[in-house]
Amino acid sequence: DEPHAEEEQVPFVDGALLTDWTFRKLISCSKSVVALKDLSTKRKLSEIFLEKPDPATFPDYYEIVDKPVAINDILRKCRAKLYATLQEFTADWQLMFANARKFNGEDSWVVEDAKILEKELERVLKKNGFSDEHVPSSKKTKTKLRIKLSLKDVKSK
């Protein structure tokens, strides 16, 4: 990271600024979702969602899905600080999951994986202090330690 006197500030979001720190947290949350594995097979559930389908292999995907999006697109937008709001970030995830349902059908293994990833995303965002109404700030929430000193005379014995 380059040393900055102040964090770069990005547009206002529901009264809070998305800062470099916020984007780093969103990237961290995304990476937690990417890392999720099936406990029995050790298969990464995110594998099929990392990149958009290859148009040569799945030409019909681009006829069925209007706005394709993949996890790596979301990560690129985070790194480039292209999200103005937390809602834009979560909307891309929701769009990706909706695209999976639309193309693969509700009962497919792809959609089953999407549901698990969606729950994990909600869990890690909540764990990191993100909600529809709240974007966490890098400011330390701990109160400063206060020491009360008494200036009374100390009597020697």
Side-chain angles (χ1 to χ4, degrees), residues 48-81:
I48 197 165
F49 298 98
L50 291 175
E51 294 292 342
K52 292 183 286 254
D54 176 26
T57 312
F58 298 99
D60 52 338
Y61 181 85
Y62 294 89
E63 293 168 15
I64 295 167
V65 173
D66 298 325
K67 294 181 182 174
V69 66
I71 293 172
N72 284 337
D73 299 323
I74 295 169
L75 285 169
R76 275 190 284 276
K77 284 176 80 173
C78 275
R79 289 184 184 110
K81 301 175 184 69

Side-chain angles (χ1 to χ4, degrees), residues 77-107:
K77 284 176 80 173
C78 275
R79 289 184 184 110
K81 301 175 184 69
L82 297 177
Y83 289 113
T85 65
L86 175 63
Q87 287 72 21
E88 284 181 16
F89 170 80
T90 55
D92 270 355
W93 281 94
Q94 295 308 317
L95 175 61
M96 183 183 73
F97 298 136
N99 290 346
R101 285 190 293 275
K102 187 174 185 179
F103 184 73
N104 298 285
E106 203 61 50
D107 297 329

Side-chain angles (χ1 to χ4, degrees), residues 1 4 6 27 30 34 37 51 62 65 70 92 100 116 122 127 140 157:
D1 286 321
H4 288 297
E6 290 182 36
I27 291 167
S30 299
V34 168
K37 292 183 179 182
E51 294 292 342
Y62 294 89
V65 173
D92 270 355
I116 296 166
E122 289 170 10
K127 179 182 163 200
K140 302 289 182 236
K157 294 183 181 178

Side-chain angles (χ1 to χ4, degrees), residues 4 6-10 18-25 81:
H4 288 297
E6 290 182 36
E7 279 197 33
E8 179 184 336
Q9 294 182 340
V10 193
L18 279 187
T19 62
D20 287 344
W21 180 87
T22 311
F23 280 108
R24 286 194 299 273
K25 287 294 256 187
K81 301 175 184 69

